[in-house]
């Protein structure tokens, strides 16, 4: 019998029989094992696999392949006893036995979205399996069937900033029990149904997306979440303990958000959540983003983490023109730490200063080290270094890949561009880095935005969008050495290809946003994880879509 998940094209393999249940059909490991009970050679089993089939004229179809066994022998002639439970927006052909004991049907989606399908054989075996394929507007031929991440990762709150450890053992998301679209609606003009960027002026702005939380804030999905800003009825207090601001005194729409890590389980799902956050008096607003994870070289227990953070008490500024005078604050910078994973990680405390409206102050528990980019000129800490990705060739982090903004002096500055900071030493975190803004065809001129880089050594994955196209995941092959000279050489970067794309049709259930590519190797397979946005509904006044941000993955084809 088989007892593992095939990540990517295939979904959970559910094993059952008269005396043995290795993996429950709900995806949770059973307490029973082969040591508990004898295995009969005629025990029935069912495995289900999903494979994407390219369709040049429309949305890709999904081949559902079911294998039925009695012990090790194919169970034949059961095509009429197989059944599918499908949601609206998807149809299926009849099952056909394509080999002895192997049956197949073809699913045809009528829209993008995340779907729940159940495959059942109820007459002879009494087995069923529930799967969650994700249908996108476009998937590159090198990649298989996208799937929703199973386990405790996805909720009604928003999951963003996804990151996978290289070995696939730990998955991370940034989480808030907030309406993601509330962040957009807040800046809409009041005439258009928004808050105009100010929640209190000229009068108090109220809206369900601004006033209410959505998603869990406790175990099992989100243990240890900070709730100092959430009322017992699930509404936001719009306060800040760490800044000394009382209820309904914040003009901004500031949501509590933290990182959660999840451990990969036997069945391929991700569970055992643990929080990674600063403790700012329980506010959850002094928050990093863009987590990157590597195993700590030479240590079997620790991992090396990097993240982007604008510390509220950080007074470091940038001297743009090297004249000895600071010109602007440094904004988001890259910080790093080493830590074991699995238990809650407190990145450090930010405490109330005792003066209302002034930044909270870090104490000695602050455990992060700022990466030593220069504070002179525009090639160091100037502007934002967002969504960092650590790349290591041997024992040392050799480069850090970021999306950079606002690193030019004066109004307008520059738009989102991908950069790589090359380590000129054999240590990390180093104090000698050379920044290279990636050339075309990776970075394109405004209005094109390139963000969220992930470098594998020979391929660069990133998110690209412009004023007419939705964000999509792209990839450019790289053929040069890992040096500042080669990284800046246009000839060494291939024209990017689109890997994953969302739909432009804003209908309920459709996926209209995608991004945050991150790649790991699981059981020898290359697997890309990503974030996608599903339309949950619409705001009547502004017309904005209520987008539920979710985590998905797709396996590279053999």
């Amino acid at each position: 019998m088989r007892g593992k998940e095939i990540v990517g094209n295939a979904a959970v393999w559910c094993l059952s029989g008269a005396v043995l249940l290795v993996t429950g059909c709900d995806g949770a490991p059973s307490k029973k094992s082969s040591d508990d009970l004898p295995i009969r050679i005629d025990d029935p089993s069912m495995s289900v696999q999903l494979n994407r089939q390219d369709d040049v004229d429309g949305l890709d179809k999904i081949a559902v392949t079911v294998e039925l066994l009695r012990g090790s022998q194919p169970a034949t002639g059961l095509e009429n006893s197989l059944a599918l439970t499908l949601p609206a927006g998807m149809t299926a052909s009849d099952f056909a036995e394509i080999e002895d004991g192997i049956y197949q049907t073809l699913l045809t989606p009528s829209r993008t979205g995340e779907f729940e399908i159940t495959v059942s054989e109820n007459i002879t075996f009494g087995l069923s399996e529930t799967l969650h394929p994700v249908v996108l507007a476009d998937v590159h031929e090198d990649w298989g069937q996208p799937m929703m991440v199973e386990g405790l990762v996805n909720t009604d709150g928003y999951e963003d900033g996804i990151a996978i450890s290289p070995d696939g053992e730990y998955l991370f998301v940034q989480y808030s029990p907030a309406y993601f679209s509330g962040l957009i609606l807040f800046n809409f003009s009041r005439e258009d149904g928004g808050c105009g960027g100010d929640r209190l002026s000229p009068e108090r702005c109220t809206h369900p997306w601004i006033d209410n939380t959505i998603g869990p804030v406790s175990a099992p999905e989100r243990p240890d979440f900070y709730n100092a800003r959430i009322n017992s009825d699930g509404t936001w207090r719009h306060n800040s303990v760490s800044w000394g601001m009382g209820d309904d005194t914040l003009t901004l729409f500031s949501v509590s958000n933290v990182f959660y890590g999840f451990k990969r389980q036997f069945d391929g799902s991700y569970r055992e959540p643990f929080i990674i956050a600063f403790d700012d008096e329980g506010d959850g607003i002094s928050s990093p983003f863009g987590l990157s994870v590597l195993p700590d070289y030479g240590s079997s227990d620790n991992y090396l983490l990097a993240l982007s953070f604008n510390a509220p008490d950080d007074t470091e500024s940038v001297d743009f023109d090297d004249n000895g005078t600071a010109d602007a604050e440094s904004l988001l910078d890259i910080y790093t730490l080493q830590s074991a994973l699995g238990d809650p990680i407190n990145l450090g405390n930010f405490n109330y200063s005792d003066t209302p409206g002034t930044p909270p102050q870090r104490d000695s528990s602050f455990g992060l080290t700022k990466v030593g980019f220069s504070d002179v000129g525009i090639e160091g800490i100037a502007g934002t270094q967002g969504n960092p990705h650590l790349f290591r060739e041997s024992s040392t982090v050799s480069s850090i890949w970021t999306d950079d903004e606002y690193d030019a002096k004066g109004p307008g500055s520059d738009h989102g561009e991908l950069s790589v900071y090359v380590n000129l030493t054999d240590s990390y975190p180093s104090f000698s880095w050379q920044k290279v803004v990636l050339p075309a065809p990776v970075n394109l001129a405004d209005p094109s935005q390139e963000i969220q880089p992930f470098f594998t050594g020979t391929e660069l994955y990133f998110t690209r969008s412009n004023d007419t196209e939705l964000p999509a995941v792209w990839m450019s092959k790289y053929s040069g050495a890992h040096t500042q000279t080669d990284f800046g050489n246009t000839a060494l970067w291939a024209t990017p290809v689109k890997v994953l794309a969302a739909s432009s049709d804003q209908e309920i259930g459709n996926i209209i946003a995608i991004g945050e590519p991150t790649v790991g190797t699981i059981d020898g397979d290359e697997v890309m994880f990503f974030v996608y946005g599903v339309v949950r509904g619409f705001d009547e006044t502004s017309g904005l879509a209520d987008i539920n941000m979710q985590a998905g993955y797709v396996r590279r084809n053999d």
Side-chain angles (χ1 to χ4, degrees):
M1 286 192 175
R2 301 174 180 87
K4 74 178 229 178
E5 180 196 33
I6 305 299
V7 179
N9 290 4
V12 175
W13 289 38
C14 180
L15 310 179
S16 185
V19 295
L20 176 67
L21 180 62
V22 177
T23 302
C25 290
D26 62 354
S30 168
K31 294 181 180 179
K32 295 184 179 180
S33 71
S34 58
D35 295 330
D36 299 322
L37 296 169
I39 302 175
R40 294 208 305 255
I41 61 173
D42 61 345
D43 282 343
S45 65
M46 179 176 77
S47 65
V48 182
Q49 182 174 334
L50 304 185
N51 291 282
R52 185 181 57 83
Q53 291 196 350
D54 285 315
D55 191 326
V56 296
D57 296 323
L59 297 174
D60 295 337
K61 295 178 171 57
I62 304 173
V64 182
T65 304
V66 182
E67 183 179 18
L68 297 175
L69 299 174
R70 290 186 179 91
S72 61
Q73 298 302 309
T76 61
L78 297 178
E79 61 266 32
N80 293 327
S81 67
L82 285 167
L84 276 172
T85 302
L86 298 176
M90 186 172 284
T91 59
S93 62
D94 293 334
F95 273 103
E97 188 169 7
I98 58 175
E99 296 180 32
D100 286 351
I102 298 178
Y103 306 84
Q104 193 171 88
T105 181
L106 195 63
L107 305 183
T108 302
S110 62
R111 60 169 177 82
T112 63
E114 55 181 19
F115 295 87
E116 180 173 286
I117 67 171
T118 300
V119 182
S120 303
E121 200 296 310
N122 295 318
I123 297 176
T124 303
F125 284 20
L127 302 176
S128 66
E129 182 64 52
T130 298
L131 314 164
H132 296 93
V134 173
V135 176
L136 301 176
D138 190 18
V139 179
H140 191 273
E141 62 183 7
D142 288 350
W143 296 86
Q145 174 57 48
M147 302 290 293
M148 184 178 77
V149 173
E150 301 287 355
L152 298 178
V153 177
N154 287 314
T155 71
D156 287 337
Y158 82 74
E159 285 76 34
D160 201 358
I162 194 167
I164 190 71
S165 62
D167 58 5
E169 286 302 299
Y170 288 95
L171 180 69
F172 305 85
V173 295
Q174 190 165 19
Y175 172 76
S176 178
Y179 287 88
F180 177 82
S181 298
L183 302 173
I184 304 171
L185 179 135
F186 176 77
N187 290 297
F188 258 47
S189 69
R190 297 209 173 211
E191 292 77 9
D192 294 327
C195 294
D198 189 318
R199 212 182 63 82
L200 300 178
S201 178
E203 59 186 18
R204 187 179 186 276
C205 179
T206 63
H207 190 281
W209 297 354
I210 303 294
D211 296 336
N212 300 328
T213 63
I214 185 171
V217 292
S218 59
E221 298 96 337
R222 300 295 183 264
D224 305 311
F225 190 84
Y226 299 142
N227 59 10
R229 305 181 59 239
I230 301 175
N231 291 311
S232 59
D233 62 357
T235 56
W236 289 107
R237 292 179 60 188
H238 299 293
N239 70 325
S240 173
V241 180
S242 64
W243 285 74
M245 306 295 288
D247 290 355
D248 289 322
T249 62
L250 292 185
T251 60
L252 300 175
F253 176 47
S254 179
V255 300
S256 300
N257 67 103
V258 301
F259 270 100
Y260 276 96
F262 302 84
K263 182 74 170 62
R264 187 172 184 266
Q265 307 296 301
F266 170 81
D267 62 358
S269 66
Y270 285 87
R271 301 175 186 274
E272 302 180 48
F274 57 95
I275 193 172
I276 305 175
F278 293 102
D279 187 350
D280 53 352
E281 309 279 5
D283 276 350
I285 57 177
S286 293
S287 300
F289 75 98
L291 187 67
S292 181
V293 185
L294 286 177
D296 188 9
Y297 185 81
S299 171
S300 59
D301 298 324
N302 282 350
Y303 282 75
L304 187 64
L305 310 181
L307 43 83
S308 183
F309 181 54
N310 187 10
D313 64 343
D314 187 357
T315 59
E316 188 170 15
S317 298
V318 180
D319 179 0
F320 280 111
D321 45 19
D322 195 14
N323 65 356
T325 301
D327 298 299
E329 64 174 307
S330 64
L331 301 178
L332 290 154
D333 301 312
I334 308 301
Y335 289 81
T336 188
L337 76 154
Q338 295 170 311
S339 178
L341 300 178
D343 293 322
I345 299 175
N346 179 15
L347 299 175
N349 299 331
F350 279 95
N351 304 315
Y352 176 43
S353 69
D354 294 327
T355 303
T358 60
Q361 302 297 304
R362 73 187 76 178
D363 63 20
S364 59
S365 67
F366 191 89
L368 300 182
T369 300
K370 184 182 291 188
V371 176
F373 297 161
S374 173
D375 61 1
V376 176
I378 65 171
E379 296 189 353
I381 63 172
T384 71
Q385 293 83 53
N387 295 297
H389 170 62
L390 302 180
F391 179 77
R392 181 173 58 202
E393 293 183 81
S394 56
S395 61
T396 301
V397 173
S398 56
S399 57
I400 301 178
W401 301 73
T402 71
D403 51 53
D404 285 8
E405 298 178 90
Y406 310 113
D407 53 1
K409 185 178 180 180
S413 66
D414 57 352
H415 64 290
E417 293 182 314
L418 299 182
S419 299
V420 56
Y421 294 78
V422 181
N423 192 348
L424 303 181
T425 72
D426 292 327
S427 64
Y428 175 84
S430 166
F431 286 90
S432 183
W433 300 84
Q434 176 65 53
K435 176 182 175 181
V436 179
V437 178
L438 299 183
V442 176
N443 283 320
L444 300 181
D446 195 15
S448 183
Q449 301 272 334
E450 286 77 35
I451 59 174
Q452 301 162 356
F454 188 98
F455 185 62
T456 68
T458 57
E459 295 175 330
L460 177 67
Y461 294 88
F462 58 94
T463 303
R464 170 181 283 172
S465 63
N466 58 38
D467 55 358
T468 61
E469 292 189 13
L470 292 170
V473 173
W474 292 73
M475 184 274 291
S476 176
K477 287 187 177 294
Y478 178 69
S479 57
H482 297 171
T483 64
Q484 56 266 41
T485 299
D486 278 9
F487 284 139
N489 188 341
T490 295
L492 300 176
W493 292 98
T495 300
V497 296
K498 189 180 294 185
V499 179
L500 304 174
S503 170
S504 59
D505 297 328
Q506 293 204 19
E507 301 292 339
I508 291 178
N510 278 6
I511 294 174
I512 63 170
I514 196 164
E516 302 273 4
T518 175
V519 181
T521 300
I522 301 176
D523 295 331
D525 298 323
E526 192 173 12
V527 184
M528 181 192 302
F529 291 78
F530 56 92
V531 170
Y532 59 94
V534 182
V535 177
R536 189 162 44 193
F538 291 92
D539 176 57
E540 292 184 1
T541 304
S542 67
L544 284 175
D546 175 15
I547 302 174
N548 184 19
M549 301 297 288
Q550 299 275 78
Y553 67 89
V554 61
R555 173 183 176 270
R556 196 178 194 120
N557 292 326
D558 296 332

